[in-house]
């Protein structure tokens, strides 16, 4: 039986735009009270009113996930307002573009601070609550991290980003097995190119390193596609959430045949920059 999510509170980071926004709306429609987090208050307020105007429950707690104290406060405030916490979607993240040798240590560290440490900053206090308070329930909680299909393959000009997503993936798998006996589900989400503010945000922080080349529209998906898959995972927990079987199998093949993958990457780069 799929789980009835009605009344089960969830915290979503990066909830003001893109995948986080679409997921917040989908969770609220499923009856979950939603705590919306992100740095900019404006987009979060817009999502809040979209939810509450349809009878859903939402609160806004502006938070920078790279700040561990602020992240702990986010979880504490959510529990105070909703009375408990069932799920967490650590979704906040951004891309960085450029050849590694041209990127500063600070720029690379910052990506890890948000994408990886930002996930851990929020998971730790949420998990502490789930383990201490959601006792006596077979399903005590669900932690989801927005990784990426690129977690499975390092790619040129996005290596720090892919590496930060691989960290989420590896921690997710390890924690899944550590926590399952305690009734906590851990899932990683692996979207392909998704039509959000992601590219614009990456270009903003990567200024001077050349503009991103987005994948052709036919190979991208709307954020609602990821939100639907994530909701299905909340209802029937699974380890990894994928939204494209083709990409999933292509990346599995790339891991199994690294020389073939390198040949394909080099060919794509030559096509892009023939000189
Ligand atoms: N779009 C894609 O092609 C794609 C593919 C695979 C995976 N992903 C992953 O999907 C997740 C969501 O990205 P998206 O595509 O929906 O792009 P997006 O629209 O740019 O959303 C990213 C969100 O993260 C928030 N954020 C960034 N840094 C933050 C911080 N330090 N603290 C709190 N919030 C922060 C941003 O809000 P504020 O700026 O207001 O803080 C924004 O709402 C990311 O983890 C990304 O890596 C995206």
């Amino acid at each position: 039986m799929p789980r009835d999510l009605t009344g089960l509170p969830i915290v979503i980071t990066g909830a003001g735009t893109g995948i986080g926004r679409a997921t917040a709306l989908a969770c609220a429609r499923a009856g979950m009270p939603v705590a919306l987090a992100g740095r900019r208050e404006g987009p979060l307020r817009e999502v809040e009113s979209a939810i509450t105007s349809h009878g859903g429950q939402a609160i806004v707690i502006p938070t920078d996930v790279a700040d561990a104290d602020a992240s702990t406060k986010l979880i504490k405030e959510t529990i105070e307002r909703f009375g408990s916490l069932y799920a967490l979607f650590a979704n906040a993240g951004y891309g960085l573009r450029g050849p590694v040798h041209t990127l500063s240590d600070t720029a690379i560290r910052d990506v890890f601070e948000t994408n990886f440490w930002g996930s851990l900053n929020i998971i730790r206090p949420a998990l502490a609550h789930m383990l201490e308070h959601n006792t006596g329930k077979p399903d005590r909680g669900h932690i989801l991290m927005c990784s990426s299909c690129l977690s499975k393959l390092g790619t040129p000009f996005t290596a720090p980003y892919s590496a930060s997503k691989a960290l989420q993936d590896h921690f997710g798998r390890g924690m899944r097995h550590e926590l399952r006996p305690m009734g906590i589900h851990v899932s990683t989400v692996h979207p392909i190119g998704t039509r959000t503010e992601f590219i614009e945000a990456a270009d903003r922080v990567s200024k001077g390193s050349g503009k991103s080349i987005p994948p052709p529209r036919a190979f991208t998906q709307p954020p609602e596609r990821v939100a639907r898959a994530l909701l299905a995972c909340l209802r029937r927990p699974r380890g990894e959430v994928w939204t494209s079987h083709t990409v999933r199998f292509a990346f599995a093949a790339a891991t199994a045949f690294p020389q073939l993958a390198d040949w394909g990457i080099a060919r794509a780069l030559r096509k892009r920059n023939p000189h």
Side-chain angles (χ1 to χ4, degrees):
M1 273 274 284
R3 177 161 308 112
D4 178 6
L5 300 172
T6 313
L8 298 179
I10 184 167
V11 169
I12 300 178
T13 64
T17 62
I19 292 171
R21 178 184 190 278
T23 304
L25 296 174
C27 288
R29 276 196 299 273
M32 301 180 86
V34 188
L36 308 162
R39 290 167 303 181
R40 288 167 293 162
E41 189 168 345
L44 299 173
R45 289 283 169 211
E46 189 270 323
V47 180
E48 179 191 37
S49 55
I51 290 174
T52 52
S53 64
H54 285 86
Q57 238 185 309
I59 55 173
V60 167
I61 308 176
T63 308
D64 181 344
V65 296
D67 179 338
D69 291 339
S71 302
T72 302
K73 202 162 148 270
L74 161 64
I75 299 299
K76 196 168 162 273
E77 265 186 62
T78 303
I79 294 162
E80 277 167 13
R81 300 278 294 276
F82 290 150
S84 67
L85 180 64
Y86 172 72
L88 163 69
F89 182 31
N91 163 71
Y94 68 92
L96 174 69
R97 189 190 147 71
V100 171
H101 69 277
T102 68
L103 297 171
S104 69
D105 281 358
T106 307
I108 294 174
R109 279 182 209 277
D110 284 350
V111 172
F112 285 88
E113 286 298 336
T114 294
N115 294 7
F116 170 65
W117 285 105
S119 301
L120 216 53
N121 284 342
I122 211 101
I123 287 171
R124 283 193 194 282
L127 193 55
H129 169 85
M130 290 170 189
L131 289 173
E132 195 181 340
H133 295 280
N134 298 358
T135 48
K137 302 175 188 165
D139 295 304
R140 292 163 80 179
H142 197 158
I143 288 165
L144 301 107
M145 268 185 279
C146 198
S147 179
S148 167
C149 59
L150 291 183
S151 63
K152 308 288 184 186
L153 184 72
T155 44
F157 308 113
T158 59
Y161 174 72
S162 311
S164 72
K165 295 284 141 183
L167 274 177
Q168 290 178 306
D169 187 20
H170 285 233
F171 269 65
R173 188 185 295 274
M175 292 176 74
R176 172 150 65 247
H177 293 283
E178 293 160 6
L179 293 168
R180 189 65 201 101
M182 297 169 216
I184 309 275
H185 303 285
V186 179
S187 309
T188 49
V189 185
H190 301 265
I192 60 165
T194 310
R195 296 190 286 275
T196 65
E197 292 181 8
F198 182 82
I199 297 273
E200 290 76 26
D203 282 346
R204 252 194 328 272
V205 292
S206 316
K207 47 187 176 301
S209 300
K211 276 182 102 52
S212 304
I213 303 170
R217 197 178 159 84
F219 294 109
T220 62
Q221 62 190 358
E224 289 74 19
R225 170 82 187 84
V226 185
R228 275 198 303 278
L230 198 128
L231 206 66
C233 177
L234 278 164
R235 289 195 167 116
R236 288 185 197 273
R238 54 162 73 183
E240 293 192 8
V241 177
W242 283 80
T243 53
S244 163
H245 292 308
T246 312
V247 173
R248 183 179 200 171
F249 289 118
F251 281 17
T255 307
F257 305 104
Q259 270 181 301
L260 183 64
D262 279 343
W263 174 83
I265 291 170
R267 188 166 178 269
L269 282 179
R270 268 199 309 277
K271 268 189 160 176
R272 199 174 278 181
N273 300 312
H275 309 297

